[in-house]
Amino acid sequence: ITDNLRVRFSYGQGFRAPDFKNLYLDFTNVTAGYQVLGNPSLQPESSHNYNLGAEYQVIDGLLGRIHVYRNDLHNLIEAERIGQSAVGGSKFEYQNISRAYTEGVDVEAVIGSMGGFTSTLGYAYLRGADKETGLPLLNRSTHNGTLKLAYLHANSGFQIDLRGRYASPWGFFDDGDKVLEPEELAPSYWGWNVRTSKTLFKTVSA
């Protein structure tokens, strides 16, 4: 649009056939107590995807991005809780959700190099549901946050990266009433990762 503003739009169609695990898995985790079963009756999954994004160079060293999307899904393949396993935990089976959707917005700010430091802050909002029952899709956090900090010492080739991710509570299972109660939610969490590297002899990184 301008030297500082870029806009992108895309549309796509997706298709995914159920794999061997989806069809025939029979796995029991005795320690955790859960069981996962395949389903030979699964139908292929298909989708229509719409994406709109913009990228704006606010000032030198500060880049902003926003991405809005919508996915309409047919025969979505999901692991659904169907009861209690023989070892006392939850029993899951892969099933098709006839009609579902996901939609959301991602926002990101990238701060360029300042004294060797770079950073990225991101936030993602997601919602998705079964179109027929209104039940939110399981295993998906509504709110996600990301933090990335990196430092590079150009002369020595030493680099350190810190990455953090936040996920809000998400639906773990539904007891059949098509409403997610607090006890059916997995708790929110932060995950952190630190990585260091050093360039040796200008060609090898360790």
Side-chain angles (χ1 to χ4, degrees), residues 128-186:
D130 184 325
K131 290 182 179 180
E132 296 182 352
T133 66
L135 178 70
L137 295 179
L138 304 179
N139 305 309
R140 293 168 172 83
S141 294
T142 301
H143 305 282
N144 286 274
T146 57
L147 168 66
K148 301 177 185 177
L149 298 174
Y151 172 73
L152 173 65
H153 190 270
N155 292 335
S156 66
F158 172 79
Q159 181 169 339
I160 182 168
D161 298 299
L162 170 66
R163 300 186 179 210
R165 177 179 180 270
Y166 168 78
S168 67
W170 70 93
F172 181 63
F173 72 94
D174 172 52
D175 60 9
D177 62 0
K178 305 304 179 184
V179 177
L180 293 179
E181 285 86 16
E183 63 272 15
E184 298 170 348
L185 300 176

Side-chain angles (χ1 to χ4, degrees), residues 84-98:
Q84 190 174 55
S85 70
V87 290
S90 295
K91 179 190 290 187
F92 298 90
E93 181 184 63
Y94 288 102
Q95 296 181 355
N96 286 120
I97 297 177
S98 179

